[in-house]
């Protein structure tokens, strides 16, 4: 942030910018010109109002919705918006995330020991399992951008049936945004009992980061046996 720029930030970050004349924790009036917004969305301060004013999380929503601000930096919960910025998001943090049985929830299926898994445990559904959602989760916030979401699955010998693989951005319990999806059949596996990657490519816009969290699902599953060892989410560039 240039030393002469105005900045709106949250209470616990204010000491970092308090040496400038135009630093704010709330807007003094509708004519206040804000060039930068600095927030730490992982901190409880981002949800605390200042003197009954709006919270920083609400300000982020508002300023992005105007179309006049772009996301300059987003990393590990830290967000920096700049007025008039239209370039790529500066992203210097983790670029690949992995989620396994410890991060995902089972709906119809079971956790089983498997020595071919690094963790030693996988999620599994066999043909006797009730048809429906196999797994879902992990409900994590990842920075905006383009991603490959890869489901590492195997099918047992003689497997039948299939499931819908999707990446979803839930808004509430009944609605959300479908980010990417494909239907997986037992015949799509090249060989039995081999971990096989199935990849969805998605684009996560900046506003989705503030409204929701990433959910990866195996839905409408039937037949089997199918096993999931983990899901990888890989950042491949700006959205």
């Amino acid at each position: 942030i240039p030393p002469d720029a105005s900045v709106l930030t949250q209470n616990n970050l204010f000491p970092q910018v308090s040496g400038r004349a135009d630093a704010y924790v709330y807007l003094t009036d509708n004519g206040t010109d804000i060039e930068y917004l600095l927030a730490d969305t992982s901190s409880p301060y981002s949800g605390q109002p200042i003197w009954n004013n709006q919270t920083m999380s609400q300000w982020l929503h508002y300023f992005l919705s105007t179309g006049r601000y772009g996301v300059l930096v987003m990393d590990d919960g830290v967000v920096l918006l700049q007025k008039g910025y239209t370039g790529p998001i500066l992203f210097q943090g983790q670029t690949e995330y992995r989620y396994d049985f410890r991060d995902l929830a089972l709906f119809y299926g079971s956790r089983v020991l498997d020595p071919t898994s690094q963790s030693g445990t996988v999620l599994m559904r066999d043909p006797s399992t009730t048809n429906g959602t196999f797994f879902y989760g992990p409900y994590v916030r990842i920075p905006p951008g383009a991603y490959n979401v890869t489901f590492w699955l195997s099918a047992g010998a003689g497997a039948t049936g299939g499931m819908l693989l999707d990446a979803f951005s839930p808004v509430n319990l009944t609605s959300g945004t479908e980010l990417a999806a494909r239907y997986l059949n037992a015949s799509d596996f090249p060989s039995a009992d081999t971990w096989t990657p199935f990849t969805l490519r998605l684009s996560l816009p900046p506003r989705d980061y503030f409204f929701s969290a990433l959910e990866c699902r195996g839905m409408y599953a039937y037949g089997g046996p199918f096993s999931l060892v983990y899901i990888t989410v890989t950042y491949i560039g700006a959205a």
Side-chain angles (χ1 to χ4, degrees):
I1 304 175
D4 59 343
S6 58
V7 57
L8 174 65
T9 190
Q10 61 200 54
N11 204 34
N12 66 318
L13 298 182
F14 184 77
Q16 309 302 320
V17 297
S18 60
R20 63 187 66 214
D22 297 321
Y24 310 93
V25 290
Y26 69 100
L27 297 186
T28 55
D29 58 65
N30 292 336
T32 305
D33 182 45
I34 298 298
E35 297 173 76
Y36 290 85
L37 280 85
L38 175 63
D40 180 2
T41 61
S42 65
S43 165
Y45 285 95
S46 68
Q48 293 179 359
I50 300 295
W51 296 319
N52 296 319
N53 210 292
Q54 286 187 291
T55 66
M56 179 52 66
S57 60
Q58 291 170 322
W59 282 130
L60 288 173
H61 293 167
Y62 168 75
F63 279 95
L64 275 174
S65 69
T66 66
R68 299 193 301 270
Y69 290 79
V71 181
L72 178 62
V73 175
M74 182 172 289
D75 185 25
D76 194 30
V78 176
V79 180
L80 181 65
L81 305 187
Q82 181 182 356
K83 188 176 183 179
Y85 183 72
T86 58
I89 297 170
L90 303 182
F91 176 74
Q92 300 176 350
Q94 188 174 352
T95 57
E96 182 169 287
Y97 308 81
R98 178 179 293 194
Y99 307 104
D100 60 18
F101 77 97
R102 290 164 290 198
D103 311 294
L104 302 168
L106 271 169
F107 202 94
Y108 294 120
S110 58
R111 294 179 176 87
V112 298
L113 300 179
D114 190 319
T116 68
S117 165
Q118 185 177 8
S119 66
T121 302
V122 302
L123 305 182
M124 191 267 288
R125 66 157 286 124
D126 60 41
S128 64
T129 302
T130 302
N131 294 343
T133 299
F134 176 16
F135 58 84
Y136 58 96
Y139 302 108
V140 292
R141 286 187 173 183
I142 56 176
Y147 288 87
N148 284 335
V149 177
T150 302
F151 300 77
W152 289 83
L153 293 138
S154 71
T160 60
M163 72 187 81
L164 177 72
L165 302 178
D166 82 339
F168 191 71
S169 178
V171 174
N172 51 45
L173 292 176
T174 59
S175 64
T177 302
E178 186 77 85
L179 301 173
R182 67 158 288 179
Y183 196 83
L184 178 68
N185 291 298
S187 58
D188 293 327
F189 290 85
S191 58
D193 299 316
T194 301
W195 296 116
T196 305
F198 297 94
T199 299
L200 305 178
R201 179 164 291 193
L202 61 88
S203 180
L204 188 69
R207 288 195 63 184
D208 279 7
Y209 177 87
F210 303 107
F211 284 115
S212 185
L214 180 66
E215 179 183 22
C216 303
R217 307 182 294 193
M219 301 180 66
Y220 311 117
Y222 72 100
F226 299 113
S227 297
L228 174 77
V229 62
Y230 54 73
I231 297 171
T232 56
V233 179
T234 307
Y235 179 81
I236 57 176

